[in-house]
Structures are given as structure tokens and as C-alpha cells.
Amino acid sequence: MDKAFSTRAVHAGRHDFISKGVHAPPIDFSSTYPTPDLEVAARSFDSMVSGDSPEGNSFVYQRLFNPTTDRFERALAELEGAEDAAAFASGMAAFSAVLLASKSRGTHIVAVRPIYGTADHLLTSGLLGMSVTWTTQDAIAAAIRPDTALVVIETPANPTLELVDIAAVVRQAGSVPVIVDSTFATPVLQQPIAHGAAMVLHSATKFLGGHGDVLAGVVAGAHSFIRDVKHVRAATGGLLHPLASFMLHRGLPTLALRVERSQDSATELAVRLADDRRVASVLYPGLPGHDPRGLLGHQMLGPGSILSFELGSDDPAVMRAFLGALEIITPAVSLGSTDSLIQPPAALTHRVVEESAREAVGISRGLLRMSVGLEDVRDLWRDLDHALAEVASRLEMRPRAAALTGR
Ligand SMILES: *Cc1c(COP(=O)(O)O)cnc(C)c1O
């Protein structure tokens, strides 16, 4: 039977519950495991160190394998339509392991800006001994070299919410695998593997965790890729802690509810902001003209619950006054939590990206990125409206409806 996403999200990773006689996933905190049969343990060790499964119940040591984390990985892989997944102590740990695992194919990366600021920094700095060519989604083919190991894209892009056409990028990449950071979309709205991506990456800290209390990352894809990633993880560390895995697994059944509810609110707030003359511009895929490639409803089921906007002033003092006047929306980095968060990317999440690179892709000093949470949308709008009123005398008024057209 072909089950709907929400049904699979409720049951993923729980198939053995009846036979185990449990109704919630057991948590296994063991850092080490008994090895009564040395031969089995040795074979299991060899298997796990190279990124494969343990033999029977011989898990040997937590860095190599943890049943609670494995259970969450299987659940997430199922929701992404992937063969396998590997969970890490953060999104950046997952991305680093993917990059290190790809080095057997080459040390050159092709990537499309903008992406998450620290991911940009990791690639630009050459910290892992790899070089990067930044390009646009239409010029991937020209940037590919014989030593290109990976193409990196993020859609919707952080923080401009630009949508990248995954299938078109995959076609241009040819035999080079493409990884999609799908953190903003979640598997509720977008499943990159179905569009030809080799791997999908999530900062599980965001929507998957969903409650602002877990730091985690996960990468899903074909066995052949995830095996290499797990090989790196077994050698370098970074396995997700079993309690964090339990919490992420616990959140999956409500993921669709949370994403859809906050998306409805984000859609309404984007329209209101776009219609407000105190706001200079709004970036949100759901606004008319903001999805030039027609990816909504096809690659991505809905516009998501993150939006960005600029006030009618780029004076930092005005931005500080605006943020200070908010009562419900918390000024903070991160996103995808139950509560709404707002932050200026140029000053915080993307401060590690060179200013010229930021400006080139539309991350202005005045840009604010808002993650819409589960509060009542009327309260959220009242909060924004009140804070805008506080600074209104210092804002330049925009001609009506000018922000409704795309960049
Ligand atoms: C937060 C974030 C990351 C990094 O994840 P951490 O869990 O903070 O390490 C990567 N990509 C995107 C899109 C993010 O929002």
C-alpha cells in the first residue's frame, strides 16, 4: 500500500514495536558493548569501521554504532525516499563528513551561492583541503572539472529563499554527485532524491528537531554514498547522541503538522509585509513573481515558513530599534522552532561570508530573516506591525505593492 507522508512519518522506524512489546523507541545509552564472542566482535568491528552494518547485536563501541541513532536514521531515510542515512552531532559535522568522504573522487567542489554562512565559510576557507568554484544554478556545467567531487546546492537558499532547480542542476552535473541542503524545506515539502540528487542534507537542529532543543545533522542517500560517510564518521567521530536521536525521532510524527501550520502563517505574513509601505522588499517563494522557475507545487510542495524582508532603512540603529520593539518574535539565529525567530544574516549567520559575496546574492545589511513559528498569526502580525510603527518615522515609504514582484 502506498501510504501518505503523514502516515509514514507517524510509523517510520517503529516497525518492530509489536514484536518488541514497546510503544515508544527504547533509548540505548551504552558507550561500550559486551564482546563475549571475540570472532563475531572482530568481524562486526571491521564491518562498522568501513561504514557497513554491525553483525548481529555486536555493536562494540558507540562511535561505531548506536541502535537508537540507527532507528532515527532509518526513519529519516524512509521519509526522504533514500536507501540509508547517517546522523551527526550537528549539521556542519554531517556536511564536513560528506566533504571528507567525497575526497576519494577529487578535491574540487562546485557550489551555488547563497548557502548557509558557515557552510560557505567551510568551502571558501579550504579548511578541509578542498577548493570551491562558486557559480549560479544555470552555469554548473561550465564549472565542472575532472577533479570535481561534488556539487553543493541549498534550496530554498539561506537567507534569500531563492529556489534552485534540483533536476536541472543534476543534469548539468553529469556524473558528479549533487548534494542538496534541504533544511528549509524538510521532507514534508521536498524530497531531493526523487529529483536525482545523490544526497540530501539537513541541519536537524531546525525543523526536524522543531523545538529549539536539539543540535543535530543528518545526510541521506544511496548506500554507496552513506557507507563512505559512515566510514568517515566511524574514524573521525561525530555520531549523534542517542538522546538527541530519540528526540528527533519523537518529532517526526508532528513534522508535517508543524511545517504546514507555520507555512500558512508565513504565507499570510509575507503578503501583509509585501503590501506594507514601511517594508522595502520581501523575499518569499510564495509571493507572485518569486518562483520564476515554476518549482512550487512540483519540486517543492509549498513555499515554506521562512521569509526575509528589508525595512525601509538600512540604518543599523533603526534595525536594532525594530528588533528591540518585538515582544513575541525572538531575535535569535536558528530556525524551524515552535517559536518565531528573527535575525539579520549579514550581521550574524552570514557574517563569515565576504561582504562582496553577500551583496552579490542580495544579502544586504538591512535584510532580516524570519522563521515563522506556531504562534497565532494574528499575534505575529500585531508584533511586526507594532515594531514597524515604533520605527516608522525613520523609514522611507515604498510605493504601494512594489515588493510584490521578484528580484
Ligand atoms: C543551521 C544550518 C546548517 C548548519 O547546521 P548546524 O546544525 O547548525 O551545524 C546548515 N544548513 C542550513 C540551511 C542551516 O540552516
Side-chain angles (χ1 to χ4, degrees):
M1 191 174 68
D2 215 10
K3 300 184 205 78
F5 182 89
S6 51
T7 306
R8 290 187 286 123
V10 169
H11 291 280
R14 291 168 162 84
H15 306 293
D16 58 349
F17 278 13
I18 290 183
S19 69
K20 277 203 151 54
V22 297
H23 187 243
I27 311 178
D28 184 338
F29 285 118
S30 310
S31 62
T32 187
Y33 291 92
T35 49
D37 186 330
L38 259 189
E39 250 176 74
V40 170
R43 278 202 305 273
S44 193
F45 189 101
D46 287 347
S47 177
M48 293 184 291
V49 158
S50 38
D52 289 321
S53 300
E55 187 162 321
N57 277 342
S58 190
F59 307 146
V60 184
Y61 189 60
Q62 191 184 115
R63 173 159 36 73
L64 307 176
F65 187 86
N66 175 270
T68 312
T69 297
D70 181 65
R71 189 182 279 284
F72 164 66
E73 290 168 346
R74 286 168 194 270
L76 199 277
E78 183 182 330
L79 298 186
E80 282 291 357
E83 285 175 4
D84 202 357
F88 287 82
S90 74
M92 288 312 301
F95 187 48
S96 304
V98 166
L99 293 175
L100 291 174
S102 75
K103 277 182 114 172
S104 57
R105 293 188 299 272
T107 57
H108 177 245
I109 305 286
V110 170
V112 174
R113 268 186 175 133
I115 58 173
Y116 180 69
T118 304
D120 185 309
H121 173 69
L122 186 62
L123 293 173
T124 306
S125 65
L127 212 54
L128 297 180
M130 305 181 87
S131 65
V132 63
T133 299
W134 294 106
T135 185
T136 63
Q137 61 174 313
D138 300 313
I140 302 281
I144 302 273
R145 307 193 315 215
D147 62 339
T148 303
L150 193 66
V151 173
V152 177
I153 58 173
E154 187 174 300
T155 182
N158 185 354
T160 57
L161 289 317
E162 196 178 321
L163 301 185
V164 180
D165 186 333
I166 299 169
V169 168
V170 168
R171 275 196 299 278
Q172 292 181 71
S175 62
V176 179
V178 175
I179 185 165
V180 178
D181 185 330
S182 192
T183 299
F184 278 28
T186 81
V188 176
L189 300 178
Q190 170 175 285
Q191 292 156 25
I193 306 276
H195 301 281
M199 282 172 278
V200 51
L201 180 94
H202 290 281
S203 169
T205 312
K206 315 296 167 53
F207 291 98
L208 295 180
H211 296 72
D213 51 12
V214 182
L215 189 77
V218 62
V219 53
H223 280 306
S224 55
F225 289 112
I226 302 305
R227 180 182 190 271
D228 291 348
V229 170
K230 285 184 174 174
H231 180 183
V232 169
R233 186 180 66 180
T236 61
L239 181 86
L240 186 61
H241 188 270
L243 181 58
S245 299
F246 171 87
M247 290 169 82
L248 290 178
H249 197 179
R250 188 180 198 261
L252 293 182
T254 57
L255 181 62
L257 277 178
R258 290 184 275 110
V259 166
E260 283 159 12
R261 168 65 192 271
S262 57
Q263 173 174 262
D264 287 348
S265 299
T267 301
E268 178 166 346
L269 294 177
V271 169
R272 282 179 179 264
L273 288 168
D275 203 29
D276 196 301
R277 300 181 57 216
R278 297 166 295 184
V279 174
S281 70
V282 182
L283 304 175
Y284 185 63
L287 288 174
H290 286 225
D291 174 28
R293 289 158 208 274
L295 298 171
L296 281 187
H298 155 61
Q299 170 180 299
M300 186 147 156
L301 290 183
S305 43
I306 315 287
L307 56 91
S308 293
F309 60 96
E310 288 171 306
L311 303 176
S313 164
D314 55 8
D315 179 352
V318 172
M319 185 193 278
R320 280 199 298 276
F322 172 78
L323 293 174
L326 293 168
E327 288 168 7
I328 296 173
I329 305 161
T330 304
V333 301
S334 200
L335 52 104
S337 188
T338 47
D339 56 328
S340 296
L341 306 173
I342 193 165
Q343 64 107 15
L348 290 173
T349 53
H350 288 70
R351 67 178 296 114
V352 284
V353 180
E354 241 178 72
E355 179 160 10
S356 58
R358 284 199 308 255
E359 295 283 344
V361 293
I363 310 174
S364 66
R365 281 169 184 278
L367 193 71
L368 288 163
R369 186 196 71 193
M370 177 175 172
S371 168
V372 179
L374 300 177
E375 301 93 339
D376 190 299
V377 68
R378 288 165 296 192
D379 291 327
L380 291 176
W381 173 249
R382 269 201 293 271
D383 204 24
L384 289 170
D385 184 43
H386 163 78
L388 284 167
E390 285 287 307
V391 297
S393 63
R394 290 184 272 170
L395 299 178
E396 196 174 311
M397 296 292 154
R398 165 175 57 82
R400 189 160 286 283
L404 283 171
T405 51
R407 280 194 293 130

